[in-house]
Amino acid sequence: MEWMNEQDEIGKGYGMKAGFIGIDLGTSAVKLILMDEDGTIAKVVSKEYPISFPHPGWSEQNPYDWYEQTICGIKELIAGSDLHIRGISFGGQMHGLVVLDGQDQVIRPAILWNDGRTAKECDYLNHTVGKDILTEETGNIAFAGFTAPKLLWMKEHEPELFARIEKIMLPKDYLAYRLSGVHATDVSDASGMLLFDVKNRTWSQKMCEICGVKESQLPKIFESYEVIGTVKPDVA
């Protein structure tokens, strides 16, 4: 995700050395790295946040904690640095389910990749829908960690919350959305949601129908190396 263009011009005018931030949203902490244009690491910061297990086999986190700790980490990362930040990239825990309403508020705690509540949903997908169809549509079969079974679980057990969903995203993409305002994901992570047609590099209409979601609720898909947008002025 590229820094704001006007800031780029300011940096060039002063002959400042370019810097780049990498953000890895892990399960126990967010790890941030600052490096210069030559690849020299200037600083590394790690910020922890809690994880909750409300029932045996469940694993959840509050997306607001990710954002707050990421912002704290960025401030610490660039404090005292003379590097001109030109770009930010994201990686992190895959498959987790983050859902927002029409006001961009988090509807429920994120259901993480290591959450095991979806055995019934996986059985439905693998044996009622069928592994052949899943493989044809997504290149995968259903596993408990994937995003699609989580949506089916939410549809069954939290229908009122499910009905409020406006945006569906993965954990690292929530950070990118908060910083840029762009609802996006990359091909690599999308391939683990069990909603993505890997062969045609687009969302699977059949899987959307099976899970009761609309394509408009899903993020725009980018290649991993593509720029998705610019940092919002209030964040910058």
Side-chain angles (χ1 to χ4, degrees), residues 145-199:
F146 285 175
T147 312
K150 295 177 173 65
L151 285 165
L152 286 175
W153 181 92
M154 194 175 171
K155 183 180 179 183
E156 172 70 19
H157 297 276
E158 300 175 340
E160 292 182 0
L161 297 183
F162 185 85
R164 290 172 51 199
I165 295 176
E166 187 72 21
K167 295 182 179 71
I168 297 166
M169 58 187 72
L170 298 173
K172 80 167 196 323
D173 302 322
Y174 174 73
L175 289 183
Y177 181 68
R178 289 293 302 269
L179 267 65
S180 70
V182 179
H183 185 205
T185 194
D186 62 276
V187 169
S188 177
D189 278 4
S191 68
M193 294 177 72
L194 207 67
L195 295 165
F196 185 62
D197 181 344
V198 177
K199 181 169 57 180

Side-chain angles (χ1 to χ4, degrees), residues 93-120:
Q93 39 173 304
M94 296 174 66
H95 315 323
L97 175 64
V98 181
V99 286
L100 307 186
D101 63 18
Q103 286 71 49
D104 281 347
Q105 299 300 305
V106 174
I107 293 173
R108 69 167 334 280
I111 305 176
L112 303 188
W113 63 273
N114 56 352
D115 186 285
R117 76 185 70 184
T118 60
K120 177 182 174 182

Side-chain angles (χ1 to χ4, degrees), residues 200-214:
N200 296 304
R201 292 176 110 71
T202 187
W203 295 115
S204 164
Q205 293 301 314
K206 182 180 287 290
M207 290 305 300
C208 285
E209 291 172 6
I210 289 170
C211 294
V213 300
K214 298 174 288 188

Side-chain angles (χ1 to χ4, degrees), residues 223-235:
E223 296 293 337
S224 298
Y225 55 81
E226 287 187 292
V227 175
I228 69 163
T230 55
V231 175
K232 295 189 295 185
D234 61 317
V235 177

